[in-house]
Amino acid sequence: MRVILRATSMAMVCALAAGCSGATGSPAPGGAPQVPREGMSAFHGQKVTWRACPADEVPDSVPDSLRFECAAVEVPLDYSRPDGKTIKIALNRLAATDSKKRIGSLLTNPGGPGASGLDYLYGSGADFSPGVRARYDIVGMDPRGVGESSEVHCQTRREQADLERKTGAESPAFGKALAEVCKKRAGDLLPVVGTDNAARDLDVVRAALGDDKLNFYGVSYGTLLGQFYADQFPTRTGRMVLDSVVDPTVWPGDSATEAVAFETALKVFVQSCVDRENCPMGSSRSAALKKIDDLVTQLNAKPLQANGNEPITGLSVVGMLMSAMFHEEQWPQLAQNLGAAFRGDMAPLTELLRDEPAAEGDQQWVSQSNNAVRCLHLRPDQRTAQAVAEANEELSKVAPVFADIFVVVRNACVYWPAKSLPNAGRALETEGAPEILLVQNSFDAATPAQWARSVEGQLAKARLVVNVSGGHGFYTMGSCTRNAVDDYLIKGTLPPRGKTCHDRARGIAGPSTTPSD
C-alpha cells in the first residue's frame, strides 16, 4: 500500500497552497523554449506495456471491482539533449469499460504541484461517471519530479523537522537552508522539473498511448499544465477540461490574492454554519471568527503536546483550516471540532491533527516537488529577498489568518537553485488549439474564481462554467457540474456561454450575506 508522509503539519500545508529550470534554448514566439526535434522519434514511437499494478502499490481502500494497470514511459531528462540521460514517467489506468465505443485515453492531473497522479486515480478514479469510464481509458501520471517519476528528495522527515525547530519554518533562514540541501542532493533534477518539460512528457505519453490528440482533465495546478500543453502543442490538443483554474499571470507571484481567497472561504464556511440552527460555533460569524483567531494565537504561544507527535501549534490549526477549505463536505465536522475547542475540549482537534507516529517515518524522504515546480513560475524579480519581504508584509495586512502559510512557501524560492521559466508570469494564448472547457466554483479558496475569468480571456478559445459554491474541485459537486463536463468529454458538446450551476455539498447552506467583511 502506498503511504503519503508529511514531516510535520507545516510541510503538509506548504503543499496545500496552490492555488506550496531554467530550460535551455532560445524562447519561441509564445515564450516557450524551443526543443530539438532530432532524436525524439524513438521516444514518441515507444509502446506502453500495461500490467496489473503491484498489490503493495494499490491502496487497501480501492474496491476489487476496479482493476488498475500500471506502466512506465521513458522520456529525456533534458529535452535539449534527447540523446542524454532518461527518466521513467510512471502511469496507471482504468481501462474503458466499453471497448467498442472507446474514444481514447483521458490523461489526468490532480494539481499540487507535486501531487501524485497515480494516487489521485487510485483514490478518485471511481468518481468519473459511468459514461466517461465507458468511453475512455482513464490514465494517471506522476509528472517528473513527483512520486514514482524521480521524486525530488532533499531531506528526511526527521531532518526537516529538526531544521524547522532550529530556524522556524517561517524564517528566511529555513528557506535558505532548504534550498542549499536541495542543491546538494537533487541539483541535477531541479533545473528540468518545470511545467514546460512536464507538458513535453505529456506529449510523449500521448504518442506512446497511440492517441492522435491529448484528451485531458486537470485540476488546480493541473489546469496550468494543461495550458502549457495546449500552448506548446495546440494541434495535438483534444478535449481538454480545466477544473479550478490557475492563472499563469498571477500564480504564484500574487500570494495576496490567493491568501485573501482563503480568508473569504473561511468566512463562507463560518456563515454557512451560523445560518443553520444550533451551529456548534455559535450564532455570530464575527464572534466565531474571533474565537478561531484566539485559538490560533493561544496555540502559537503554548503548543499542545500530542502524545509523542509533533506539538500542535496555531500554524497547525491554520493548515487544517486551509485543507478543509478545499472540501465543503468536511465543513460540518470541522464546525463540530472547532466548537468543542471553543468550549475547552481539544480532543477532537488533537485527533484530527495527530501526525503519524515518528518512529514509523523518521528516515523517510519528504517530497520537495511543490517547491521544485512552484519556484520556477515566479519571475526573477519576484524571487529577490526584498520582493519576498514586501510580499510577506502585504500578506500579514490583507490575510492575517493564512499569511504565515504563504510566507513559508515564498521564502524558499529566493534561494532555490534553478532558474525561473522563460515564460514565468505570462499568459498562455494556446493559438490553434480547440476550445477549452474551464469549470470553477465561485468561492474556491485555492484557485479564486477571478483567475478562471482571467484565463477565459487569455486563451484563444475557452468556455467557462461557474458553480455557485465553495470547495476546490467542480466536477463532483452535483448533477449540473457533472453533466457539463460529461457532455463535453463524451459528446464534444460545450455548455452554453454563461451557464451557471448551483450544486453544493450536502448539509451546506448558502451564505446569507456576501462574505466581504
Side-chain angles (χ1 to χ4, degrees), residues 117-418:
L118 304 188
D119 289 330
Y120 169 72
L121 195 61
Y122 286 137
S124 302
D127 291 342
F128 287 95
S129 70
V132 172
R133 287 279 319 281
R135 306 297 295 277
Y136 287 97
D137 294 339
I138 313 294
V139 179
M141 166 182 150
D142 277 357
R144 58 173 54 212
V146 176
E148 302 298 317
S149 301
S150 300
E151 186 164 51
V152 176
H153 292 149
C154 303
Q155 294 176 309
T156 64
R157 174 191 177 113
R158 179 50 53 194
E159 287 172 340
Q160 183 159 320
D162 288 345
L163 180 60
E164 287 183 10
R165 279 192 290 268
K166 180 180 178 180
T167 65
E170 305 96 316
S171 71
F174 176 83
K176 184 176 182 180
L178 177 60
E180 288 174 350
V181 73
C182 284
K183 181 178 181 180
K184 179 180 179 180
R185 289 180 170 170
D188 61 334
L189 190 59
L190 298 183
V192 294
V193 294
T195 306
D196 54 348
N197 284 327
R200 295 179 183 115
D201 293 342
L202 272 177
D203 196 56
V204 172
V205 171
R206 172 203 59 77
L209 292 172
D211 292 327
D212 294 331
K213 305 277 188 179
L214 176 80
N215 300 307
F216 182 78
Y217 172 79
V219 185
S220 195
Y221 162 78
T223 69
L224 185 56
L225 177 58
Q227 292 174 64
F228 263 72
Y229 182 89
D231 194 57
Q232 293 184 40
F233 306 102
T235 61
R236 300 176 193 170
T237 301
R239 297 175 187 176
M240 181 172 285
V241 178
L242 305 183
D243 184 335
S244 309
V245 182
V246 169
D247 180 354
T249 68
V250 297
W251 181 90
D254 185 7
S255 299
T257 296
E258 193 174 358
V260 167
F262 275 101
E263 300 270 341
T264 300
L266 182 64
K267 294 175 183 177
V268 173
F269 153 66
V270 173
Q271 189 68 53
S272 70
C273 181
V274 300
D275 279 348
R276 304 194 314 270
E277 292 184 6
N278 303 316
C279 170
M281 296 187 293
S283 58
S284 165
R285 185 177 80 191
S286 59
L289 290 169
K290 176 65 165 55
K291 291 177 182 178
I292 290 173
D293 186 63
D294 290 345
L295 179 65
V296 170
T297 301
Q298 169 192 331
L299 290 174
N300 276 334
K302 186 177 181 180
L304 183 67
Q305 299 303 315
N307 300 324
N309 290 269
E310 293 294 326
I312 294 173
T313 66
L315 203 56
S316 307
V317 174
V318 173
M320 174 201 67
L321 293 172
M322 175 177 272
S323 179
M325 294 307 100
F326 283 67
H327 306 286
E328 273 198 341
E329 67 274 12
Q330 296 179 5
W331 290 5
Q333 186 60 54
L334 176 63
Q336 292 285 347
N337 293 347
L338 287 172
F342 297 164
R343 297 190 299 273
D345 180 7
M346 296 296 295
L349 276 185
T350 301
E351 180 61 27
L352 185 64
L353 288 166
R354 185 178 62 83
D355 206 350
E356 297 89 351
E360 292 184 9
D362 264 7
Q363 300 307 314
Q364 299 215 23
W365 292 105
V366 177
S367 172
Q368 288 297 332
S369 305
N370 185 276
N371 279 330
V373 176
R374 171 189 291 268
C375 290
L376 308 195
H377 281 278
L378 288 169
R379 300 190 313 269
D381 64 288
Q382 295 172 320
R383 293 174 60 177
T384 67
Q386 179 179 349
V388 170
E390 291 172 354
N392 291 345
E393 183 177 357
E394 182 186 9
L395 279 167
S396 65
K397 295 177 181 178
V398 301
V401 175
F402 292 100
D404 283 349
I405 299 295
F406 291 90
V407 166
V408 175
V409 171
R410 289 295 289 270
N411 282 339
C413 295
V414 175
Y415 308 98
W416 198 254

Side-chain angles (χ1 to χ4, degrees), residues 105 209 423 489:
S105 305
L209 292 172
N423 52 355
L489 289 178

Side-chain angles (χ1 to χ4, degrees), residues 38 75 146 288 304 417 461 502:
E38 299 81 11
V75 300
V146 176
L304 183 67
K461 296 179 181 178
H502 297 271

